Amino acid sequence: ACKPGYVHVPTFGCVDEQPPLIKLRHDPHHDGITRLKQGDSYKEYAVDVMDDNAEDYLRSLKIAYSRPLPPGCLVEMGSFEVNYTVALPWANPPYVRVTREVVIEDIDECAIVKAGDEGRYEAQCPELIPQCDVEAGAVCRNTKGSYTCECPNYTSGDGFKFISSVKMIGDGTEDTAGHGRGMVTYTGAPVGYDGGSGCRDTSKPVIQLMGPNPKVFRTCKCGGLTG
């Protein structure tokens, strides 16, 4: 016989009539949302299963993620869900579940350089360190979820240094029929990245004559003008 509050179910023995209560750990706002920022790592806090327990059936907790977690830091903005499920095969529905939503919020990548914080991110999340060609005058501009590099006036290029971690799809060469350049795309690249061409000066040089006015040079017939 089962003790009060429990019922006997074939195969499972004596089980609690009441389903367990699953409570999220690390849920300070009690809204089921864990808020992180780009560059953070996700730590699994799991849940507390509040239950008098089944006498014979040992319940187990299953943790499932709505998308694979990247190793190391979280680079991209967005969100994912973590489902915590306790199976109750004798009940309808045959489980109890609670969900945690994890939200990854934007950071200002350009501020990493301004604050001189590159060392911290180099170790844990180098993808977030801006790779602008600052020596050529490029300026970092923050965007939602990323950043871009802007070249100064009278220059051309994408403003970036070459980023080895970015993958290029396509090679941009002409096809066998000579129909022009193929499509080139970059995966894992910041906004505006086009191979890391930096900034190139495109302005025409200005030649200015120096010396007293009028700027007239007189030479003898036998000589020439030397500089």
Side-chain angles (χ1 to χ4, degrees):
C2 299
K3 68 180 183 180
Y6 290 79
V7 294
H8 186 272
V9 177
T11 305
F12 302 107
C14 294
V15 295
D16 193 346
E17 292 181 294
Q18 300 298 321
L21 175 64
I22 305 177
K23 183 178 180 181
L24 294 173
R25 295 176 183 169
H26 192 71
D27 185 24
H29 300 290
H30 306 290
D31 58 0
I33 300 176
T34 297
R35 293 172 175 82
L36 302 174
K37 292 186 177 294
Q38 290 174 288
D40 291 339
S41 298
Y42 176 71
K43 177 181 178 181
E44 183 53 69
Y45 292 98
V47 293
D48 290 316
V49 180
M50 298 184 217
D51 186 13
D52 290 335
N53 197 16
E55 290 181 347
D56 297 331
Y57 179 75
L58 299 178
R59 292 170 178 157
S60 60
L61 173 68
K62 179 181 178 181
I63 302 176
Y65 301 92
S66 61
R67 74 181 195 195
L69 288 180
C73 68
L74 300 167
V75 176
E76 298 180 357
M77 279 182 62
S79 64
F80 62 90
E81 294 181 344
V82 186
N83 291 312
Y84 306 91
T85 305
V86 173
L88 305 173
W90 59 86
N92 186 20
Y95 59 84
V96 176
R97 176 177 295 160
V98 68
T99 299
R100 182 195 306 274
E101 182 182 8
V102 181
V103 177
I104 302 104
E105 300 174 341
D106 183 34
I107 65 166
D108 184 348
E109 289 89 344
C110 300
I112 295 174
V113 176
K114 293 177 183 178
D117 215 9
E118 296 97 326
R120 171 191 164 196
Y121 285 88
E122 186 66 45
Q124 68 181 33
C125 208
E127 300 93 330
L128 293 178
I129 301 175
Q131 299 296 315
C132 297
D133 189 5
V134 293
E135 293 184 359
V139 177
C140 182
R141 303 292 186 195
N142 187 51
T143 64
K144 186 176 181 180
S146 185
Y147 71 95
T148 192
C149 300
E150 293 182 358
C151 287
N153 292 334
Y154 311 112
T155 64
S156 66
D158 63 4
F160 290 87
K161 295 184 287 186
F162 175 73
I163 304 176
S164 60
S165 61
V166 170
K167 295 181 180 179
M168 183 179 73
I169 301 175
D171 57 11
T173 59
E174 291 187 356
D175 60 23
T176 55
H179 291 154
R181 294 186 62 191
M183 179 67 70
V184 175
T185 58
Y186 299 92
T187 60
V191 176
Y193 181 81
D194 191 22
S197 58
C199 300
R200 299 181 300 274
D201 189 356
T202 57
S203 61
K204 295 181 179 180
V206 177
I207 302 175
Q208 182 177 0
L209 295 173
M210 308 298 291
N213 288 318
K215 296 179 175 58
V216 178
F217 295 89
R218 293 180 175 85
T219 64
C220 63
K221 292 183 179 180
C222 61
L225 180 64
T226 61

